[in-house]
Amino acid sequence: MKVTNLSRLDLTDILYGCAILGTGGGGELEEGFDYIDRAFAAGKEFKLVSIDDAPQDAMVCTPYMLGALTPLAAEQELQYNHLPKNTEPAIMTAFKRLQKYTGDEYFGTICCELGGSNTAISFYLAAMFDGYIIDADPAGRAVPEITHSTYYFNDLDAAPIITANEFGECFVLENIIDDQRAEHVVRALSMVSRNDIAAIDHAMSVSKIKDAVIKGTISKALAIGKAFRIAKQESLDIAAQVASHGGGYIAFKGVVKDFKFFTEDGFTLGQVVISGIDQHAGNTYELQVKNENLVGYCNGEVDVTIPDLICCLDLDNKEPVTNPNFHHNMQVAIIILPAPKEFTTPRGLEAFGPSYAGLDIQYAPAIKPLR
């Protein structure tokens, strides 16, 4: 079995690549690096393997955090003041309960999506139990819901789902009929857990899961993150470099003129309005957000929709932009990257196509889907 030991620099590149591919979602880089550094401080290693090289009978699982991105209002925070805080990360509480529940030893973890913290959480858990990181995921990007995954497209059972929150409360979900129901139940638990809950699902053997994931996505994030880092070091156009290495293009460059975000039903919803600069001067671009960037409008007309990736870079600070972290007069670039081919199938588009974003239009790929 070929194993790649990931250095701190490798992990930095991966998390930056994931934050870019996360299309505004997937969590904050700062939180992701905190998880990585905790594992290094504990003397742990990060070991990456291809799912094709993993033992067929080995058990893997998918850990993640689920919730909204916007902070709670002060009056909402008051309802949690009397609760004790967990002494360990919630994902560790969930994993220990999973081990007890299934009685299995776990070979490694598969990220639920690509994002600044959700990818790192999966890496952290694998490192802490001396397991392996699988070079694959079921989304190839960040996504709002559990149903937006190749697990769902392939009808794999998510249950048992083990969840835990920062207060040490742990919930075991059995007999969940499908991923749509799983999304509703886990989202509800998140909403009573400060809009943030750790979950682990799809605990199964490599042989059952290997054909229901998108392979090589961690390596892809590493390549994009490395290109991004080198572009910053050499004062290159970061947007052009990300577009080139991701097989996409720059859709728009401009200055943020307005934005609004709010929490509804456990999601962060919002809009961002960008006024064009340079070759885009005189034009306006708008992002529609539900945790992730779902639709891009140019001058009021639909320009790009999910499942294509609508990525945003802060050109002032040369950082990926995660929702809702915009400010007025921020210079940004909107980069469009191709959707994984699995998301452009009828099943994929039914779950995560224009209709999910409230549009009554057919999906028109901005770029040929990835193969």
Side-chain angles (χ1 to χ4, degrees), residues 150-225:
T150 54
Y151 294 157
Y152 177 62
F153 306 160
N154 285 274
D155 296 314
L156 289 187
D157 289 333
I161 306 171
I162 312 297
T163 66
N165 61 27
E166 63 182 293
F167 312 113
E169 298 167 331
C170 194
F171 311 92
V172 177
L173 309 181
E174 303 174 314
N175 304 320
I176 301 292
I177 189 171
D178 58 23
D179 279 7
Q180 288 186 332
R181 179 60 180 166
E183 166 63 32
H184 293 155
V185 174
V186 179
R187 185 74 53 182
L189 290 172
S190 172
M191 290 169 66
V192 295
S193 302
R194 292 187 69 248
N195 276 333
D196 194 31
I197 198 162
I200 305 178
D201 61 25
H202 292 92
M204 57 186 62
S205 67
V206 168
S207 63
K208 290 182 179 178
I209 209 168
K210 69 174 184 176
D211 293 325
V213 293
I214 305 170
K215 299 177 182 179
T217 54
I218 305 304
S219 294
K220 177 184 177 180
L222 173 60
I224 289 176

Side-chain angles (χ1 to χ4, degrees), residues 15-49:
L15 292 193
Y16 265 92
C18 287
I20 292 167
L21 293 166
T23 66
E28 301 299 328
L29 278 166
E30 181 179 2
E31 181 181 358
F33 286 122
D34 181 62
Y35 277 102
I36 296 301
D37 290 337
R38 287 192 202 190
F40 273 131
K44 299 298 184 178
E45 296 180 320
F46 294 84
K47 300 171 290 188
L48 182 70
V49 300

